[in-house]
Amino acid sequence: MDIKQLRYFCAVADEGQITKAANKLHMAQPPLSQQIKNLQEDLNAKLFERHGRSLQLTTSGKVLYKNAKKILQEMEETIIEVQETEEGIRGVLCIGSNKSCFSYLPEQLKQLRYKHPDISFLLREGDTSFLSDSLTHREIELALVRLPVDLQEFSILRLPSEPYVLILPEEWSSFDPNIHSVSMNELKNIPLMLLHRLSGAGQFELVVNECRSHGFEPNIICECPDASMLLSLASAGVGATIVPKSTLQGFRYGNLRILELEDAKILAELGIIWKRDHYLTKGAKRLLDLFKEAYPYKL
């Protein structure tokens, strides 16, 4: 059994078919089938069972898959570490970010490029659940996200919390034009559009629970994982939204009015997360250092 066989095995397990795995590996189907057959003979174990057109792992196959993934990950990280020892900080740094906290990222990327001009970036946008999955599948290395996240699965560099604000169409006459803040109880009859993760709990539940703590059920007319879409809808007069204050720095929409929430107890928490026990490249470590310098977190 060698590394190449483990890669072939994991590809078949991931795709569920020899044909799809062969296409993914850019090789012909017969030699891939032969490699899987050889691996089963070497281990004297049946690794797959056929169910219709798909292949599913046996109990033995699941054990091998779990450990093969670890071995391949360690091999990949070892290669990167060796290369970085020779090359210094360079290559592609893969980063993800929520739209609602992207405004924290550009200045630090600028500083990183200034100090290390050989580095480049691959950026991926999505909500926290999507980016968490991307980290798990090694598609990105770091993610700037709104909390909460599973701290058993991810390490985190916390950044300073910030308040939520009410964003509503400028033409609405819901509130006196001279005021700059409102109480939570004044939102009872306001049609709200809230950020909602594709899966898991996050800002949506935080805002809803805050409304309930003030004795009312919010009038929610729209749920969406994309902050820019909510701001665009608010600008068009569809409804109001509640977002972290810094969200507005990343977008330029007209016809919007911003009001502070004077008695809200909730704060928008954010941080940079990465997969626990995974090797971080020098570029990723340096970016984390820049954030620590720019936003020293205090409990």
Side-chain angles (χ1 to χ4, degrees):
M1 184 171 62
D2 57 28
I3 291 294
K4 185 179 290 186
Q5 282 181 313
L6 291 181
R7 287 200 181 97
Y8 292 161
F9 165 74
C10 287
V12 174
D14 290 336
E15 298 300 321
Q17 288 184 359
I18 292 288
T19 303
K20 289 183 178 180
N23 290 335
K24 183 178 180 179
L25 294 166
H26 306 291
M27 64 184 296
Q29 183 177 336
L32 178 57
S33 298
Q34 186 61 48
Q35 288 286 350
I36 298 301
K37 181 181 178 182
N38 293 343
L39 182 60
Q40 292 186 123
E41 289 176 353
D42 290 343
L43 294 173
N44 193 28
K46 187 177 181 181
L47 302 175
F48 294 100
E49 289 180 334
R50 183 168 293 281
H51 290 268
R53 292 188 174 184
S54 66
L55 295 174
Q56 295 183 6
L57 290 170
T58 63
T59 302
S60 298
K62 290 176 181 178
V63 172
L64 179 60
Y65 182 79
K66 177 182 177 181
N67 288 282
K69 282 289 189 180
K70 290 180 182 178
I71 293 169
L72 292 173
Q73 177 191 317
E74 289 175 1
M75 176 62 71
E76 179 184 340
E77 292 175 352
T78 299
I79 292 170
I80 293 172
E81 188 171 359
V82 170
Q83 290 174 339
E84 285 194 329
T85 301
E86 293 295 320
E87 299 174 355
I89 297 179
R90 60 190 307 150
V92 180
L93 176 57
C94 301
I95 315 164
S97 177
N98 295 164
K99 280 187 178 176
S100 68
C101 50
F102 178 75
S103 61
Y104 286 83
L105 195 54
E107 180 59 28
Q108 307 316 317
L109 296 186
K110 174 185 171 183
Q111 292 297 324
L112 186 61
R113 277 277 302 160
Y114 176 76
K115 295 178 179 179
H116 307 285
D118 290 329
I119 199 167
S120 59
F121 309 112
L122 185 152
L123 296 178
R124 176 165 292 188
E125 181 275 326
D127 74 348
T128 299
S129 62
F130 173 80
L131 295 177
S132 296
D133 287 342
S134 297
L135 285 169
T136 298
H137 292 101
R138 304 288 287 166
E139 294 165 356
I140 57 175
E141 193 170 4
L142 300 173
L144 180 58
V145 298
R146 295 292 174 184
L147 306 182
V149 294
D150 183 356
L151 295 182
Q152 290 187 331
E153 186 175 359
F154 300 104
S155 296
I156 181 169
L157 171 63
R158 291 182 180 271
L159 301 177
S161 302
E162 58 178 307
Y164 284 92
V165 291
L166 176 69
I167 311 294
L168 65 162
E170 200 168 42
E171 72 240 20
W172 282 12
S173 56
S174 309
F175 302 105
D176 187 292
N178 296 314
I179 68 169
H180 301 287
S181 64
V182 294
S183 67
M184 287 296 298
N185 279 322
E186 292 179 89
L187 307 185
K188 284 182 181 179
N189 299 314
I190 297 292
L192 290 175
M193 306 178 294
L194 299 181
L195 286 167
H196 200 168
R197 292 183 186 180
L198 294 174
S199 64
Q203 295 182 80
F204 179 87
E205 290 76 15
L206 198 66
V207 173
V208 169
N209 289 336
E210 180 68 13
C211 293
R212 289 171 178 167
S213 74
H214 288 267
F216 70 95
E217 196 70 24
N219 175 23
I220 300 169
I221 66 165
C222 178
E223 302 172 19
C224 176
D226 190 321
S228 65
M229 293 177 71
L230 292 183
L231 292 176
S232 179
L233 290 171
S235 180
V238 176
T241 186
I242 296 174
V243 295
K245 192 171 185 177
S246 69
T247 303
L248 299 164
Q249 298 175 20
F251 307 100
R252 295 292 180 265
Y253 291 100
N255 190 38
L256 292 178
R257 185 179 178 192
I258 307 165
L259 295 176
E260 305 285 340
L261 298 171
E262 56 192 35
D263 58 348
K265 298 181 177 64
I266 54 174
L267 289 173
E269 296 183 302
L270 70 156
I272 303 176
I273 62 172
W274 61 97
K275 199 77 169 69
R276 280 190 178 275
D277 304 322
H278 278 194
Y279 174 78
L280 285 181
T281 61
K282 287 183 178 180
K285 291 176 182 176
R286 187 66 190 109
L287 183 61
L288 288 174
D289 289 340
L290 288 171
F291 269 98
K292 289 175 185 177
E293 294 165 11
Y295 303 102
Y297 180 77
K298 295 180 181 179
L299 293 173

